[in-house]
Amino acid sequence: TRIATALSNRGCRANCSFCNVRSFNGEGVRQRSIDSVLEELSRLKDRGVGHIIWLDDDLLMREERAIALFDGMVKRRLNMTWDATNGVIAASLKREVVEAAAAAGCIGLALGIESGNEKILREIKKPGTPRHFRKAAEVLKDFPQINVRALLIIGFPGETMGQIQDTINLCEEMNLDWH
């Protein structure tokens, strides 16, 4: 399968202390029009591309936009598979979003977890909590065609072995495809 990358927006709503997206993209998220993105995907499809790797740092920034984009991929009968490997924000993985993503050909997502410890998550300014991660895993388990990988960071400054164990425990509980 021919593979291409695509970018529907630049930037990220989060302000995680370990990430430099805001350093090179600035604050906020700038989004292309859905029609512009769909037109690009159609041109790629016409050139034989069958799989898209989304480069967006916050593909699901606005859930209704994400659903409209995915629905547009279905309506245009693009029949492409795709993955989002930069890490999606767990709180955006609501059932309606994941259903639309799966229908549009999603076969892989990276879930930005980083840590399973509440204190560490607050210190690194992560916009998620273990509760968000668990809810996302609960939704995603109903979509076995989507390979879900957890992005983790071990060894934050001052992180204890107990806090690292919280991350391990959370991952075991979530039981995703890869950690």
Side-chain angles (χ1 to χ4, degrees), residues 44-141:
L44 290 169
K45 179 68 175 181
D46 290 344
R47 292 185 175 147
V49 172
H51 182 83
I52 294 296
I53 300 170
W54 289 108
L55 297 177
D56 299 49
D57 289 300
D58 196 355
L59 178 64
L60 308 178
M61 165 62 182
R62 285 187 22 242
E63 294 157 26
E64 64 278 356
R65 178 186 181 272
I67 291 170
L69 173 61
F70 303 149
D71 286 351
M73 292 172 72
V74 172
K75 285 180 187 148
R76 288 193 183 212
R77 295 186 175 100
L78 294 177
N79 298 320
M80 303 168 97
T81 58
W82 61 268
D83 65 80
T85 55
N86 274 353
V88 295
I89 294 177
S92 294
L93 289 170
K94 295 181 174 70
R95 181 160 304 278
E96 308 81 49
V97 174
V98 179
E99 283 174 352
C106 179
I107 61 169
L109 291 174
L111 182 57
I113 293 174
E114 320 329 335
S115 176
N117 179 271
E118 295 263 2
K119 183 175 186 274
I120 293 292
L121 291 167
R122 281 192 307 277
E123 287 176 2
I124 64 173
K125 301 178 184 169
K126 184 74 184 168
T129 66
R131 182 179 61 81
H132 289 122
F133 305 144
R134 286 182 189 97
K135 282 177 75 173
E138 193 64 29
V139 169
L140 290 163
K141 77 174 184 180

Side-chain angles (χ1 to χ4, degrees), residues 149-170:
R149 303 166 299 281
L151 301 178
L152 306 170
I153 300 174
I154 300 294
F156 286 106
E159 187 174 32
T160 67
M161 288 303 291
Q163 291 166 324
I164 292 171
Q165 190 62 51
D166 290 343
T167 301
I168 294 167
N169 294 343
L170 177 68

Side-chain angles (χ1 to χ4, degrees), residues 107 140-148 177:
I107 61 169
L140 290 163
K141 77 174 184 180
D142 293 335
F143 298 89
Q145 71 273 34
I146 301 175
N147 179 277
V148 184
D177 297 305

Side-chain angles (χ1 to χ4, degrees), residues 1-14:
T1 300
R2 280 186 136 171
I3 297 171
T5 59
L7 187 67
S8 78
N9 66 45
R10 283 190 193 272
C12 182
R13 66 188 125 155

